[in-house]
């Protein structure tokens, strides 16, 4: 029971839960008395079995993997859950705080942290282990850390198994497949040089790949520039096998995002670092395009933990986790309104997108397309904004939106995942259904390629449309990844909860992982890729 339902409509912040005398809150007095009688019966408080055996309660709370908000609600409704539990490692922690700490200790990024690093993260998140737990869980949910994933890059593809093995296939002109050669691969091929290293995250850019291990180490291969434009000649040197990025060896990295002129990484503590594209302070610093040193993203996010980053053509989005809730910041080029601030001006430092507060929407997943962006809220609503060309915003037209706008035609579903590309958008519902809209080139939307009245077999879709070809595979889709590049024909991956991978769209370089028949350059409907990611 949430005490806020009686006499107040405001939520109780995790970090501000207090233990007031019942006499000081008359409107809640009867509620708390009922809860107390229910917990302790007619005996003296403390004689109730649960109160006499708090270790059992702690075990139950931890084993059930309660949500941080549930733990906060327990503290708010019963003194037993918020008074000091007298357990190690901190005798002053409540049962609910200890349960949150125990669940944090199960997470891969938390286990290797020293006590000083853990305390620093706790303070950075707001001073509560429940807030730390929410921060870690939010990052896992939106980025699929420690789970299988498939990445559709510009001309090449990366697939990571749930065990941390990595397969690559497609274009390899810069060594971006990591096999020690420059030959294309038309079938998924294991990167054997990574044996013994567990990869939990991957990012793919034009001619470049970055992999992140469970130890926070970053491996890169392909073009040697962190800020190379896709059409430029910078970074002529190539690396054909995964190499440790020495400049990041002192930063525990959990995610990487590759834009067109820059690269960004996210640290375990929620700090954002960027490489390159610092001329004229475009990302808050002055650097050369070929700079190999990471620079902390200055401004408001210096003291706010970030759980996810997403890179578009020339801008960066950051999903931040604050005690008051989740929020989104943007920085970079504002052309087309893609920064979400109601204008088309550039931002040199991260700026809060305020529209989500007006919409009463808690962002949970953020995606940055080449020129447009999207967010999924906790309540399942989807917002899009930016350049609306080809209908990629899903609002039934091709108009630009300079602030996030709810996609009304998705109101009958609860979305859990969103992916954006070059003028295309995909949404995954909690039932595993997939909807797509935007540019129909390369058959990358997954809809039937039927020639319309004007002879166009790649029709654009202005409003969300169910991808029936994925519905027909009778598998629950959990992730969509599509090419986010304006210089490559797009391809799309659909990953199911059983670890099966399906591909469709452009496949002229082998990026689908499927052998195409003679003269065929694309797949209009999903086909199973011969690799098991489960």
């Amino acid at each position: 029971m949430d005490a806020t339902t009686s006499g107040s409509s405001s939520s109780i912040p995790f970090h501000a839960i207090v233990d007031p005398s019942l006499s000081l809150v008359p409107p809640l007095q009867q509620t708390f008395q009922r809860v107390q009688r229910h917990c302790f019966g007619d005996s003296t408080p403390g004689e109730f079995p649960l109160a006499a055996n708090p270790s059992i309660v702690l075990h139950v709370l931890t084993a059930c993997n309660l949500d941080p908000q549930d733990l906060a609600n327990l503290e708010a409704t019963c003194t037993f859950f918020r008074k000091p539990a007298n357990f190690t490692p901190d005798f002053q922690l409540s049962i609910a705080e200890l349960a949150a700490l125990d669940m944090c200790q199960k997470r891969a990024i938390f286990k290797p942290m020293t006590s000083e690093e853990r305390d620093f993260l706790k303070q950075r998140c707001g001073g509560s282990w429940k807030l730390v737990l929410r921060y870690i869980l939010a990052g896992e949910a939106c980025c699929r850390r420690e789970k299988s994933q498939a990445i559709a890059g510009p001309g090449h593809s990366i697939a990571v198994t749930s065990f941390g093995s990595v397969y690559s296939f497609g274009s390899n002109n810069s060594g971006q497949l990591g096999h020690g050669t420059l030959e294309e691969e038309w079938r998924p091929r294991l990167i054997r040089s990574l044996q013994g290293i567990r990869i939990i995250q991957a990012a793919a850019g034009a001619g470049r790949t970055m992999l992140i291990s469970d130890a926070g180490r970053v491996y890169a291969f392909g073009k040697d520039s962190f800020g190379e434009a896709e059409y430029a000649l910078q970074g002529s040197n190539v690396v054909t096998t995964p190499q440790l990025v020495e400049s990041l060896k002192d930063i525990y990295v959990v995610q990487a995002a590759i834009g067109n002129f820059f690269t960004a990484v996210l640290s375990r503590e929620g700090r954002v670092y960027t490489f390159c594209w610092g001329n004229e302070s475009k990302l808050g610093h002055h650097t050369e395009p070929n700079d190999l040193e990471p620079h902390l993203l200055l401004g408001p996010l210096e003291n706010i933990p970030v759980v996810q980053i997403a890179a578009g053509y020339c801008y960066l989005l950051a999903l931040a986790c604050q005690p008051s809730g989740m929020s989104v910041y943007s920085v970079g080029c504002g052309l087309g309104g893609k920064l979400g601030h109601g204008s088309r001006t550039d931002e040199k430092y991260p700026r809060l997108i305020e529209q989500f507060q007006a919409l009463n929407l808690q962002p949970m997943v953020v995606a940055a397309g080449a020129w447009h962006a999207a967010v999924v809220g906790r309540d399942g609503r989807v917002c899009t904004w930016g350049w609306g060309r080809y209908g990629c915003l899903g609002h039934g037209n091709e108009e630009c939106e300079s602030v996030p706008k709810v996609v009304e035609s998705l109101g009958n579903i609860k979305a859990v995942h969103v992916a954006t590309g070059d003028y295309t958008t995909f949404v995954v519902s909690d039932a595993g259904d997939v909807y797509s809209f935007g540019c129909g080139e390369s058959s990358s939307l997954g809809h039937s390629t039927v020639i319309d009245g004007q002879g166009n077999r790649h029709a654009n879709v202005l409003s969300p449309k169910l991808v029936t070809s994925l519905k027909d595979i009778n598998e629950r889709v959990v992730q969509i990844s599509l090419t986010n590049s304006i210089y490559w024909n797009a391809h799309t991956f659909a990953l199911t909860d059983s670890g099966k991978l399906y591909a469709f769209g452009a496949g002229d370089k082998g990026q689908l992982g499927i052998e195409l028949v003679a003269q065929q350059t694309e797949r209009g409907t999903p086909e199973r890729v011969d690799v098991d990611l489960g």
Side-chain angles (χ1 to χ4, degrees):
M1 180 181 66
D2 187 344
T4 61
T5 59
S6 299
S8 174
S9 60
S10 61
S11 61
I12 300 178
F14 293 169
H15 66 300
I17 296 174
V18 296
D19 185 7
S21 170
L22 297 184
S23 62
L24 298 180
V25 281
L28 300 179
Q29 184 174 14
Q30 293 183 351
T31 301
F32 276 116
Q33 285 179 342
R34 284 197 298 271
V35 172
Q36 188 172 17
R37 284 197 298 270
H38 176 71
C39 289
F40 300 108
D42 296 326
S43 303
T44 302
E47 295 181 358
F48 179 61
L50 286 182
N53 296 279
S55 60
I56 297 178
V57 180
L58 179 59
H59 175 74
V60 171
L61 295 181
T62 304
C64 290
N65 288 321
L66 290 185
D67 183 270
Q69 183 65 61
D70 295 329
L71 294 174
N73 289 339
L74 286 174
E75 285 188 333
T77 56
C78 186
T79 304
F80 169 75
F81 289 101
R82 63 180 184 267
K83 67 182 181 180
N86 296 315
F87 284 137
T88 57
D90 187 338
F91 292 102
Q92 296 303 310
L93 290 181
S94 68
I95 287 289
E97 275 286 278
L98 282 169
L101 176 57
D102 285 351
M103 284 186 274
C104 286
Q105 290 174 337
K106 296 179 181 179
R107 324 315 296 189
I109 71 169
F110 194 84
K111 288 178 181 178
M113 298 179 76
T114 65
S115 58
E116 291 78 12
E117 290 171 336
R118 292 180 178 185
D119 288 339
F120 174 77
L121 180 60
K122 179 181 179 182
Q123 295 309 313
R124 185 169 169 80
C125 288
S128 164
W129 291 120
K130 295 184 292 296
L131 287 171
V132 174
L133 179 61
R134 185 184 69 164
Y135 165 77
I136 294 175
L137 294 178
E140 291 179 356
C142 61
C143 299
R144 290 189 62 80
R145 294 172 194 154
E146 301 181 63
K147 296 181 180 179
S148 58
Q149 55 192 269
I151 307 298
H156 76 289
S157 305
I158 304 294
V160 182
T161 74
S162 57
F163 298 104
S165 299
V166 182
Y167 292 82
S168 62
F169 43 101
S171 177
N172 196 31
N173 59 311
S174 299
Q176 61 264 43
L177 298 187
H179 301 303
T181 72
L182 296 178
E183 298 177 1
E184 292 179 356
E185 297 287 343
W186 285 71
R187 293 285 184 179
R189 180 180 172 186
L190 180 68
I191 302 180
R192 298 191 181 280
S193 61
L194 292 170
Q195 186 173 2
I197 300 173
R198 182 170 182 246
I199 300 300
I200 63 169
Q201 195 73 32
R208 184 169 179 80
T209 303
M210 297 180 72
L211 303 175
I212 300 163
S213 75
D214 61 350
R217 298 289 180 260
V218 181
Y219 299 84
F221 42 102
K223 294 179 181 178
D224 65 346
S225 171
F226 281 104
E228 178 176 3
E230 297 181 9
Y231 51 82
L233 298 177
Q234 301 168 8
S236 57
N237 295 328
V238 298
V239 178
T240 60
T241 57
Q243 300 294 318
L244 187 68
V245 179
E246 291 292 334
S247 61
L248 289 170
K249 64 182 180 181
D250 294 326
I251 301 173
Y252 194 113
V253 176
V254 294
Q255 190 200 347
I258 302 176
N260 194 63
F261 304 100
F262 68 97
T263 297
V265 297
L266 177 65
S267 77
R268 176 174 56 184
E269 299 79 21
R271 289 187 170 123
V272 182
Y273 296 83
T274 61
F275 291 88
C276 309
W277 206 44
N279 291 343
E280 301 177 1
S281 295
K282 287 189 174 70
L283 290 177
H285 54 74
H286 295 273
T287 62
E288 296 302 317
N290 59 350
D291 188 8
L292 299 180
E293 294 296 321
H295 296 267
L296 181 66
L297 188 60
L298 303 177
L301 293 180
E302 290 181 68
N303 299 311
I304 301 174
V306 172
V307 300
Q308 182 200 359
I309 53 176
Y313 182 79
C314 51
Y315 70 107
L316 181 72
L317 300 180
L319 178 63
C321 185
Q322 299 172 268
S324 58
M326 308 293 286
S327 54
V328 180
Y329 289 75
S330 62
V331 60
C333 172
L335 185 65
K338 58 184 177 292
L339 296 186
H341 304 303
S343 67
R344 300 188 179 188
T345 58
D346 298 347
E347 297 290 341
K348 295 182 179 180
Y349 298 95
R351 178 181 172 186
L352 174 68
I353 300 180
E354 299 178 353
Q355 181 66 10
F356 294 115
Q357 297 176 350
L359 294 173
N360 192 28
L361 185 144
Q362 280 274 328
M364 295 304 295
V365 180
V366 61
W371 300 100
H372 73 292
V375 153
V376 172
R378 178 182 290 274
D379 58 7
R381 285 184 292 168
V382 177
C383 288
T384 58
W385 67 97
W387 205 346
R389 192 176 182 185
Y390 305 121
C392 63
L393 301 185
H395 302 306
N397 54 50
E398 296 188 43
E399 297 178 4
C400 296
E401 298 290 343
S402 59
V403 295
K405 180 179 179 180
V406 175
V407 182
E408 298 293 347
S409 56
L410 289 172
N412 61 335
I413 71 163
K414 181 178 182 180
V416 295
H417 173 71
V418 65
T420 48
D422 177 22
Y423 303 120
T424 49
T425 306
F426 279 75
V427 174
V428 180
S429 75
D430 59 350
D433 293 331
V434 179
Y435 298 79
S436 67
F437 42 98
C439 181
E441 283 295 325
S442 305
S443 302
S444 61
L445 292 179
H447 302 302
S448 177
T449 55
V450 177
I451 299 177
D452 61 17
Q454 286 74 43
N456 180 17
R457 64 187 295 268
H458 292 144
N460 301 323
V461 178
L462 303 184
S463 296
K465 181 179 178 181
L466 179 66
V467 183
T468 55
S469 57
L470 285 173
K471 184 80 169 177
D472 293 341
I473 67 176
N474 294 320
E475 290 269 356
R476 183 174 177 269
V477 175
V478 294
Q479 184 211 6
I480 292 288
S481 178
L482 62 154
T483 307
N484 188 359
S485 167
I486 64 174
Y487 298 108
W488 290 82
N489 290 332
H491 69 292
T492 305
F493 288 131
L495 178 63
T496 70
D497 58 356
S498 64
K500 295 184 180 67
L501 183 63
Y502 293 84
F504 50 96
D508 54 311
K509 298 295 183 180
Q511 63 265 46
L512 295 179
I514 301 167
E515 292 281 358
L516 299 179
V517 299
Q519 306 304 317
Q520 192 178 27
T521 60
E522 62 188 46
R523 283 283 306 179
T525 55
E527 183 172 332
R528 173 82 184 276
V529 182
D530 186 19
V531 61
D532 184 7
L533 303 184

